Amino acid sequence: MTRGVLARVRGLETLESAYDAWLELRLAHGAVRLRFQEERERLEQQGSFLVGAVRAASQERAGLSGAVSESALASSDAPMRDFLRQAEEKLTRAREALAKDEAESEARFQATFEEIRTTVQDRVRRYLSASPPRLRLLLRKVGATRAVLHVERVGGDAPVLLLYLFAGRIPSRYGFLFDDSTEEVSLPPAPLYPEEGVAPGEVRLEATALVARVLAPGEVLPVKGFLPVFVPRPEGGEDFFRLLQRGPVMEVEVADGPGFRSILTREESERFAGHLLRLKLEGRLELEVEAG
């Protein structure tokens, strides 16, 4: 399985093909882990059943009605004791063999994951250098001192490249920015995928916790439906903005307490636009600004 995935990744030079193989490997990894878990549970059940069967047989042979301890069983009947010992030795060997197979399987998967991540990072750096992504920033005034910023929808490899440009990380999925799926129809899409160290119960975080998760060490960021952007403050520190996918545009929001707001102050909107302009002047981004 891992060899076939790597052959596809090495043979096709596109980002999307690498991510398709990555997702296929992630699903296969989960299925293999589940099979090992089921086999461990089967062996534990088998061991418990054998001890119970030996206890029952010893009670029947001795004509006892009360409970018999395992130590009593081991000393009361030599054939029964030998049977139990042989069964336990067989189960021990089976557990050891299973643990060895599981460790080797996990090592193969992790080595393949590492090569895929490295391949994706190398391609992202190369694509960014050869063809910086293009953004069109749209300013919509809301009164004299407030504004709403939109960025025109991007496609293709651009979301992957932009995430690396803004956060120095690669996403866990190729189509992360346009994924509007939700685990509950009454809730909006979660901002994180339950993978790459994110537990299923941690996919919905308040702004402060989400910032911490985005800043946590690691090569892969399992974000969903948005692009994180850290914009420096003049007095030091950074503000956390996000480009939230909303149909034909991405809306710029800033972290504010436990949530986000899309109506920005003039200073916030100017700093965000200035951050993109700096990236443009550095040759890392193509930018067009339109004021409405």
Side-chain angles (χ1 to χ4, degrees):
M1 171 65 196
T2 55
R3 291 179 181 176
V5 168
L6 285 179
R8 286 168 49 199
V9 171
R10 294 164 180 165
L12 299 172
E13 271 290 311
T14 67
L15 275 175
E16 188 171 9
S17 65
Y19 270 99
D20 286 344
W22 191 356
L23 179 57
E24 180 183 330
L25 187 69
R26 189 182 290 123
L27 294 174
H29 185 220
V32 168
R33 278 185 163 180
L34 180 60
R35 287 199 296 271
F36 278 117
Q37 179 183 336
E38 290 173 344
E39 182 61 15
R40 283 196 304 272
E41 292 172 352
R42 187 189 69 80
L43 290 175
E44 291 302 321
Q45 184 181 31
Q46 184 177 346
S48 177
F49 177 79
L50 283 171
V51 170
V54 170
R55 177 182 290 110
S58 294
Q59 288 175 341
E60 182 175 331
R61 285 169 65 92
L64 301 177
S65 58
V68 178
S69 69
E70 291 180 23
S71 60
L73 290 178
S75 60
S76 64
D77 193 313
M80 200 68 67
R81 183 172 62 249
D82 290 342
F83 174 82
L84 182 59
R85 177 181 54 78
Q86 292 169 9
E88 288 179 337
E89 289 175 351
K90 183 178 179 181
L91 282 170
T92 297
R93 289 194 297 271
R95 292 190 187 103
E96 290 173 348
L98 180 65
K100 181 176 181 291
D101 290 345
E102 185 174 17
E104 292 174 350
S105 172
E106 187 67 18
R108 286 193 298 271
F109 272 106
Q110 292 305 324
T112 307
F113 280 129
E114 179 61 29
E115 180 164 341
I116 291 177
R117 286 192 295 266
T118 300
T119 298
V120 170
Q121 287 178 320
D122 289 345
R123 289 181 187 176
V124 167
R125 294 189 192 102
R126 190 166 71 249
Y127 294 179
L128 271 173
S129 177
S131 181
R134 181 182 299 274
L135 290 182
R136 188 162 181 256
L137 182 64
L138 310 172
L139 170 66
R140 301 292 181 257
K141 290 185 177 180
V142 181
T145 61
R146 297 288 187 270
V148 171
L149 290 179
H150 288 159
V151 176
E152 279 193 352
R153 182 184 176 112
V154 295
D157 295 337
V160 178
L161 303 183
L162 287 167
L163 182 64
Y164 193 83
L165 177 63
F166 292 147
R169 312 270 288 281
I170 56 174
S172 60
R173 303 198 187 190
Y174 183 79
F176 75 99
L177 188 56
F178 311 117
D179 188 352
D180 59 359
S181 61
T182 179
E183 72 278 17
E184 291 189 35
V185 294
S186 61
L187 296 174
L192 296 171
Y193 289 107
E195 56 200 23
E196 298 294 334
V198 176
E202 299 174 340
V203 296
R204 296 182 179 277
L205 301 177
E206 292 185 345
T208 304
L210 185 60
V211 171
R213 185 64 185 79
V214 172
L215 289 173
E219 301 172 321
V220 183
L221 197 57
V223 294
K224 176 183 176 184
F226 77 97
L227 285 164
V229 185
F230 291 92
V231 178
R233 303 189 196 101
E235 67 277 13
E238 296 175 316
D239 282 322
F240 180 65
F241 290 80
R242 69 177 182 181
L243 301 180
L244 188 66
Q245 181 61 42
R246 295 190 182 279
V249 298
M250 293 180 287
E251 191 162 84
V252 180
E253 297 184 338
V254 64
D256 187 5
F260 291 85
R261 58 177 166 82
S262 59
I263 298 181
L264 309 177
T265 66
R266 178 174 179 177
E267 188 265 347
E268 288 168 342
S269 61
E270 288 177 350
R271 278 198 297 116
F272 183 86
H275 182 65
L276 297 188
L277 181 58
R278 179 179 65 80
L279 294 175
K280 171 183 170 63
L281 295 177
E282 292 173 354
R284 301 162 67 190
L285 183 70
E286 294 294 333
L287 178 67
E288 179 183 350
V289 180
E290 177 186 303

